């Protein structure tokens, strides 16, 4: 089901029951209209009255870590350090000596007991154990793992921010051939959910990794590759500019943003805020952690923008967001703020005024609602303010931050539209956005298909404009196309 010319027959567009045919040639939509019969000699696929939508993007992914998540012990449901340790105790016997047992997904912000090394040591013995938090900003290590990773004298075993990032990076040092196989499997799974593209935020030399992967046959997704500070000069020297295709990738990969992390996370209580965290008022870091001084941030952003690479600034706390917007104003460039979870009212309008995209992850609101109600008490009315950003004229770009949330745009869209899951009452439902707005924020500004569009498309079993929030979250996808080429399909030609 490929070719220079293709007609998708007997489909429907969101919000309408009228049947349409969509003709594609050279990867572009050339005609939209209905014909009773297929044109003789032209390749066609019958959509069976399914709905045709723009292909979906996940605008913030750590793809290698997402590809590894299925191979790690799931700790997402643990409610205490003791419960996490009990799961480790069960899995230790299954782990070969000399290997590291890796778990993922714990969130200790509301745990009644502290994650400390003696608790983990008692469950694990001499086997090295690393448990990565669900927000990726902390790691809990036992004594054996602390020794391996260079922290033998750490008092608690709970590492955060740069120390945690270093451990997570070391865990990812598997042979390229192995990692690339995992990535290819994960890419095909993403395509099966209607994903045509991702923005890769892995802390690695992403341009080179994706050039190698695409040359090796991974072609299910488009990829925009970010770089961090350690690779910024390399990217500029090579002449890589945001939006420009990477050599040898057949147009599937392009240079993306320059990523810089300026604060921590809510669960780790390191998001940088104007107000102190309740219970931490008299401690160091009571307002969170600013990881990049403002003058350094401005310098890095100016260097990136001058080299043609747009900045993408991680900011979660309200003070970190305010400082990031100040930096965009000083440098005079556009770009994005990644996460934008807590905002002052006066900063919401600045996104549109400065041309800064709010790159947000709606599922985080549902993951964080309880910990936000505790640690941002009295301020959650300005947390995850998706509708306020749209009303102020800002551009939203939705993503998952996988593996923090699943790499599934329908989960993302459902969270943005419904602000709930699992039967709970919606959290701050006045900040919900429409289905059309959520689709556009997941599809590079498009919520419909038009003549002249690149034929990056998905075919759904239900109309996303009228589907319930529950049905959105589990939306069946029948096919995905990139430039008119099927990357996933259960349809019959």
């Amino acid at each position: 089901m490929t070719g220079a010319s293709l007609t998708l027959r007997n489909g429907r567009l969101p919000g309408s029951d009228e049947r349409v045919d969509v003709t594609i040639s050279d990867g572009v939509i050339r005609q939209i209209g209905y014909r009773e019969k297929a044109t003789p000699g032209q390749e066609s696929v019958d959509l069976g009255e399914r709905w045709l939508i723009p292909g979906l993007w996940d605008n913030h992914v750590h793809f290698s870590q997402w590809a590894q998540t299925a191979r790690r012990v799931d700790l997402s449901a643990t409610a205490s350090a003791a419960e996490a340790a009990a799961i480790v105790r069960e899995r230790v016997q299954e782990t070969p000596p000399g290997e590291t047992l890796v778990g993922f997904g714990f969130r200790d912000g509301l745990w009644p007991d502290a994650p400390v090394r003696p608790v983990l040591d008692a469950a694990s013995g001499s086997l090295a154990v690393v448990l990565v938090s669900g927000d990726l900003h902390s790691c809990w290590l036992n004594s054996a793992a602390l020794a391996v990773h260079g922290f033998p004298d750490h008092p608690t075993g709970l590492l955060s921010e740069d120390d945690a990032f270093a451990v997570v990076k070391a865990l990812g040092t598997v042979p390229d051939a192995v990692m690339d196989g995992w990535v290819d499997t994960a890419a095909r799974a993403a395509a099966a959910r209607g994903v045509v593209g991702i923005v890769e935020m892995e802390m690695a030399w992403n341009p080179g990794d994706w050039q190698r992967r695409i040359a090796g046959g991974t072609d299910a997704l488009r990829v925009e590759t970010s770089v961090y500070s350690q690779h910024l000069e390399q990217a500029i020297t090579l002449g890589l500019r945001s939006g420009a295709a990477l050599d040898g990738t057949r147009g599937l990969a392009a240079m993306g943003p320059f990523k810089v992390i300026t604060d921590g996370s809510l669960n780790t209580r390191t998001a940088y805020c104007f107000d102190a965290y309740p219970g931490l008022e008299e401690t160091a870091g009571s307002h969170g952690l600013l990881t990049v001084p403002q003058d350094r941030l401005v310098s890095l952003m100016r260097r990136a923008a001058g080299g043609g690479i747009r900045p993408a600034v991680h900011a979660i706390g309200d003070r970190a967001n305010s400082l990031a917007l100040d930096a965009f104003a000083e440098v005079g460039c556009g770009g994005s703020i990644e996460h934008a979870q807590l905002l002052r009212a006066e900063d919401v309008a600045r996104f549109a005024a400065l041309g800064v995209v709010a790159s947000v992850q709606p599922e985080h609101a549902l993951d964080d609602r309880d910990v936000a109600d505790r640690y941002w008490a009295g301020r959650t009315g300005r947390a995850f303010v998706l509708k306020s950003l749209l009303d102020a004229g800002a551009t939203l770009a939705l993503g998952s931050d996988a593996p923090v949330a699943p790499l599934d745009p329908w989960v993302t869209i459902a969270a943005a539209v419904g602000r709930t899951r699992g039967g709970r009452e919606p959290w701050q439902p006045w900040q919900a956005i429409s289905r059309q707005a959520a689709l556009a924020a997941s599809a590079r500004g498009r919520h419909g298909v038009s003549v002249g569009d690149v034929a990056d498309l998905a075919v759904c079993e239900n109309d996303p404009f009228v589907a319930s929030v529950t049905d959105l979250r589990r939306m069946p996808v029948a096919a995905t196309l990139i430039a008119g080429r099927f990357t996933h399909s259960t349809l019959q030609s």
Side-chain angles (χ1 to χ4, degrees):
M1 293 189 290
T2 61
S5 181
L6 170 69
T7 297
L8 303 176
R9 300 191 61 251
N10 198 25
R12 291 188 278 188
L13 302 182
S16 173
D17 285 330
E18 184 178 347
R19 290 182 292 172
V20 298
D21 294 346
V22 175
T23 301
I24 300 164
S25 65
D26 298 323
V28 175
I29 296 173
R30 304 296 183 183
Q31 186 176 16
I32 300 176
Y34 183 68
R35 294 188 294 272
E36 288 292 338
K37 296 181 180 180
T39 301
Q42 184 178 55
E43 184 177 13
S44 66
V45 175
D46 191 335
L47 300 187
E49 300 188 11
R50 296 175 176 88
W51 281 266
L52 187 67
I53 66 167
L56 304 173
W57 278 75
D58 191 314
N59 291 290
H60 190 124
V61 177
H62 303 269
F63 207 83
S64 294
Q65 293 183 63
W66 172 245
Q68 293 177 84
T69 298
R71 296 161 179 82
R72 294 176 172 175
V73 179
D74 183 9
L75 302 172
S76 60
T78 54
S80 67
E83 187 176 340
I87 293 174
V88 168
R89 184 178 289 107
E90 293 176 359
R91 295 297 294 270
V92 162
Q93 304 303 319
E94 305 169 14
T95 306
E99 293 191 6
T100 297
L101 174 63
V102 181
F104 176 78
F106 78 87
R107 298 176 185 272
D108 63 320
L110 299 176
W111 281 2
D113 51 352
V116 291
R117 62 193 290 178
V119 172
L120 205 50
D121 285 349
S124 58
S126 61
L127 186 76
V129 175
V130 177
L131 309 183
V132 182
S133 68
D135 62 10
L136 300 177
H137 282 257
S138 64
C139 295
W140 182 18
L141 285 69
N142 70 349
S143 293
L146 288 166
V148 169
H149 290 280
F151 301 95
D153 299 320
H154 195 277
T156 67
L158 186 66
L159 309 181
S160 63
E161 304 309 327
D162 287 346
D163 290 343
F165 298 155
V167 172
V168 170
K169 182 177 180 180
L171 294 175
T173 55
V174 300
D176 287 345
V178 174
M179 180 62 75
D180 292 353
W182 295 347
V183 164
D184 185 72
T185 298
R188 286 185 278 109
R193 299 301 296 141
V195 178
V196 297
I198 62 165
V199 180
E200 169 69 282
M201 296 292 190
E202 200 66 83
M203 291 183 180
W205 177 238
N206 293 309
D209 284 347
W210 281 97
Q211 284 173 313
R212 182 187 68 247
R213 290 164 182 167
I214 292 170
T218 296
D219 63 356
L221 299 174
R222 297 188 187 275
V223 183
E224 292 182 358
T225 62
S226 70
V227 294
Y228 285 72
S229 299
Q230 64 268 31
H231 293 125
L232 179 58
E233 290 303 321
Q234 181 180 357
I236 292 173
T237 298
L238 291 172
L240 304 183
R241 303 176 69 88
S242 294
L246 297 179
D247 291 343
T249 64
R250 306 188 303 282
L252 288 174
M255 185 60 203
F258 161 61
K259 174 77 180 296
V260 57
I261 299 174
T262 66
D263 75 337
S265 71
L266 169 58
N267 179 73
T268 310
R269 280 81 73 200
T270 49
Y272 192 50
C273 298
F274 285 102
D275 299 294
Y277 286 88
L280 303 178
E281 290 87 351
E282 304 303 321
T283 65
S286 61
H287 291 258
L289 182 64
L290 186 68
T291 58
V292 179
Q294 189 70 356
D295 57 349
R296 173 64 172 162
L297 175 62
V298 169
S299 176
L300 286 168
M301 290 173 60
R302 183 170 284 127
R303 177 62 175 148
I309 303 176
R310 61 179 175 83
V313 180
H314 164 117
I316 289 180
D318 53 1
R319 194 167 187 183
N321 275 278
S322 186
L323 289 170
L325 290 165
D326 289 346
F328 275 108
E330 184 171 345
V331 175
C333 69
S336 63
I337 289 182
E338 304 296 318
H339 310 306
Q341 288 186 8
L342 186 66
L343 300 174
R344 297 187 304 175
E346 56 265 41
D347 283 330
V348 171
R350 299 176 71 196
F351 280 82
L354 294 170
V356 176
V357 173
S359 176
V360 296
Q361 298 77 41
E363 186 74 352
H364 290 3
L366 308 184
D367 289 331
D368 290 350
R369 61 184 292 178
D370 294 324
V371 72
D373 284 340
R374 175 171 177 179
Y375 291 108
W376 287 345
R379 292 172 279 165
T380 53
R382 29 188 199 90
F384 302 95
V385 288
L386 306 190
K387 188 174 187 299
S388 293
L389 284 162
L390 279 183
D391 289 347
T395 297
L396 291 184
L398 302 189
S400 65
D401 199 14
V404 180
L407 202 172
D408 187 331
W410 297 107
V411 168
T412 297
I413 289 169
V417 169
R419 306 280 294 197
T420 186
R421 71 173 180 226
R424 297 185 71 178
E425 287 296 314
W427 191 57
Q428 302 171 349
W430 56 88
Q431 288 295 343
I433 62 176
S434 70
R435 289 158 174 77
Q436 291 87 340
L439 181 57
S442 300
R444 296 294 164 99
R446 298 192 295 156
H447 59 70
V449 298
S450 302
V451 172
D453 289 346
V454 173
D456 290 354
L457 303 166
V459 180
C460 305
E461 298 288 354
N462 302 321
D463 184 348
F465 285 4
V466 299
S468 70
V469 171
T470 298
D471 286 342
L472 281 173
R473 187 171 281 268
R474 62 193 183 196
M475 176 70 75
V477 175
T480 307
L481 301 89
I482 293 178
R485 173 182 61 86
F486 283 88
T487 58
H488 162 76
S489 182
T490 59
L491 303 173
Q492 300 297 316
S493 59

